[in-house]
Amino acid sequence: MLLQVSNITKSYGIDVILSNISMQVLERERIGIVGVNGAGKSTLLKIIAGELSADSGAIHKSKDLKLGYLAQNSGLQSNKTIIEEMRAVFDHLIQAEQELRELERQIADPALHENEKRYSEVLERYARKSDWFREQGGFEINTKINSVLHGMGFGDFEPDTPIVNLSGGQKTRLALARILLQAPDLLMLDEPTNYLDIDTLTWLENYLRSYPGAIVVVSHDRYFLDATVQTIVEIERHAAKRYTGNYSRYIELKAAEYESLMKQYEKQQDEIARMEDFVRRNLVRASTTKRAQSRRKALEKMERLEKPAGELKKASFSFEIERQTGKDVLEAKSLGVVFSSGDGATAGKRLFRNVSFSLQRGETVALIGPNGIGKSTLLKVLVGELQPSEGQLYWGSNVKLGYYDQEHTGLNPANTVLEEVWSHYPHLEEVRIRTVLGNFLFSGDDVQKKISSLSGGEKARVSLAKLMLKQANVLILDEPTNHLDLFSKEVLESALIDYEGTLLFISHDRYFLNKMAERIIELSPNGTEHFLGNYDDMLEKKRDLDEAYQESLAKSASGAAKQAAEPAPASSYEAEKQAKREERNRQRRVEQLEKQISELEQHIAELENRLADPDVFNDYVRVAEIQNEIEQKKAELQNVYDQWEQLLS
């Protein structure tokens, strides 16, 4: 056991956040913590990490536990460059490497050889330090850094890029990259999927599956939870409950548990009603008084079941339209966007070009692509906030647009929640505005909260309330599930499924994409690709296309080799001449490859012989270097062999 949390309680004033929370974390265990916004998930992680103190309870950690904690949206603040910050994780190994170089310098010094005892001590120290360096992964530092940076979307960044020049989202991703490189025994992540595109999410899931330590993660990404965790801890009504399995399994178990408890409760209530009725009817009869008294005593002693708690209050809303659009809703032709430089004198970065697609009435279409490709920019072009650098845009008849901006730039920080919504719909009565806000979980004094003081999830609900009241027949949504808890996402999905208008949305939430998308548009710098179906359908289509492409390449290569080997018809002098030329080239290439094979095999043999040299096998660093070189040469040899065999086939 790595960690034991026992009866943790935390309150802020009269507001209870956590009450007698207990949980444990075992080695290599993967735990997902779920619950509505404000349930106390982040508070629990902060208490475990030591950043907050609990009012009562205890936390027991195993001896020498290395714990790593990444708070939600905690961007990396540093004056270093990307590579300097990543290499700082391995300072202990870099210092050890410097010690090894110093020891090597001493060993090479003839003066040390005159003192046999001192020489032996230095050799022994060098051997121990070399063994430790290898066991700690000293030889793989650069490989690890490059792998994680590439996976987290920094593959195209210059290593010496100053961190202060990065955006907020990039700093958050870099903070995640650093904690992954630290590889703590217990990795605690609070909403790590924020600011990650689908490719990065997929990489992170694969990385965490093979992570050697234990993981505790707070997330509202259902697809991510299904892919990475084996246990769910639900925090609900200030208490914690453990479920075995991923998120989908947790939903099944929770539903079955509620149904079972409700049946037991109803069965007991029926039994109580029958017993009370018997007592009432028979207590006054002399012949049945004793039996009635016995039943009454049994009722008094009965341990009564509490009625199972129903679902927590959820947001409740629907998107209605005033009137339908025409059949053709949108036609985008060859759209492109180029950002001008700061002074506007020269053209700046081209974001995308040749973007063409259409929308028909009633369609639900998803727009996807990596971060920075221009998805949000494209939506702003569609709603008229930006002008395209090239191309045309045609909206159909009777279109009334509703736009959801993931940054919530349309909210006035100085307004209260009530003022924000009412100022956009002044013709509505206050009671109507309050009713709508109540449906979005803003009740009582909540409507007097300033927009500036709201959480991300609360701002999202205000924006959705305004959007619902607009009764638009075309919805353009930019990351609508960001900051929403799992339950609010389900409500949003239900509302959009019942929506009778046309929907175009951006999302990195693959669960949401699978549930909502009927068609997917994938944006790239040079245009778009179109896929029928949802996210999983798109992946399957891409796999099929990739397999077909690889098969086509193999057939082409095989056909070209056979064609090169076949003599040309005798009737064609030029064809025969060309065939002879190609055959000579083939023979020459075969000879070159055979010579290369011989040289590589000889080089490998020499390297392997050097490993048997006492001056080498006592030098652990040199041994590792030679072994790495052998592996590289063997890989080159296999590649040459493959080319040689292909030419001979």
Side-chain angles (χ1 to χ4, degrees), residues 5 112 153 301 356 360:
V5 177
L112 184 65
K301 293 179 180 178
S356 299
Q360 302 293 310

Side-chain angles (χ1 to χ4, degrees), residues 65-223:
L65 174 69
K66 184 181 175 186
L67 189 150
Y69 166 60
L70 185 66
Q72 187 176 161
N73 300 331
S74 55
L76 189 57
Q77 305 301 323
S78 171
N79 293 321
K80 297 179 180 178
T81 65
I82 291 176
I83 192 62
E84 286 172 346
E85 191 64 49
M86 297 303 103
R87 284 183 65 81
V89 171
F90 302 100
D91 271 347
H92 60 300
L93 290 175
I94 293 170
Q95 290 175 9
E97 188 174 20
Q98 292 170 351
E99 289 179 34
L100 287 171
R101 298 293 84 81
E102 173 60 23
L103 289 171
E104 288 168 3
R105 188 193 63 74
Q106 293 179 29
I107 292 169
D109 185 356
L112 184 65
H113 294 228
E114 297 174 3
N115 187 334
E116 187 174 341
K117 182 180 178 183
R118 175 65 180 148
Y119 180 65
S120 297
E121 289 174 351
V122 172
L123 282 178
E124 178 64 25
R125 184 181 170 193
Y126 180 79
R128 287 198 306 270
K129 180 65 73 172
S130 295
D131 287 341
W132 179 87
F133 186 73
R134 181 184 297 103
E135 290 166 2
Q136 296 297 314
F139 293 111
E140 294 92 41
I141 291 175
N142 290 333
T143 301
K144 287 178 181 177
I145 290 174
N146 291 336
S147 173
V148 171
L149 285 178
H150 188 273
M152 293 304 297
F154 292 96
D156 296 331
F157 282 63
E158 289 296 328
D160 57 355
T161 301
I163 293 172
V164 292
N165 292 348
L166 300 179
S167 68
Q170 289 166 342
K171 289 177 181 177
T172 298
R173 284 192 282 125
L174 200 61
L176 178 54
R178 184 178 64 173
I179 200 170
L180 293 178
L181 287 172
Q182 290 171 345
D185 304 320
L186 173 56
L187 178 63
M188 299 199 309
L189 305 174
D190 193 355
E191 292 289 354
T193 62
N194 289 351
Y195 302 104
L196 302 187
D197 58 28
I198 291 176
D199 288 342
T200 309
L201 277 169
T202 303
W203 178 88
L204 180 61
E205 287 166 359
N206 291 330
Y207 188 91
L208 293 180
R209 281 194 195 101
S210 58
Y211 186 75
I215 299 168
V216 175
V217 58
V218 170
S219 180
H220 292 146
D221 188 322
R222 295 156 293 183
Y223 201 102

Side-chain angles (χ1 to χ4, degrees), residues 331-336 354-357 390-394:
E331 185 72 30
K333 293 184 177 180
S334 302
L335 293 178
N354 197 32
V355 171
S356 299
F357 64 94
E390 57 203 35
Q392 295 83 39
L393 195 61
Y394 306 100

Side-chain angles (χ1 to χ4, degrees), residues 537-554:
D537 294 330
M538 182 194 73
L539 289 184
E540 187 176 351
K541 180 65 174 176
K542 282 190 169 185
R543 281 193 294 266
D544 291 344
L545 289 172
D546 186 56
E547 289 172 4
Y549 176 69
Q550 294 299 331
E551 187 177 338
S552 173
L553 282 181

Side-chain angles (χ1 to χ4, degrees), residues 40 69 134 138 140 340 348 401 507 516 520 645:
Y69 166 60
R134 181 184 297 103
E140 294 92 41
S340 297
L401 279 177
S507 183
M516 296 301 307
I520 291 181
E645 289 172 356

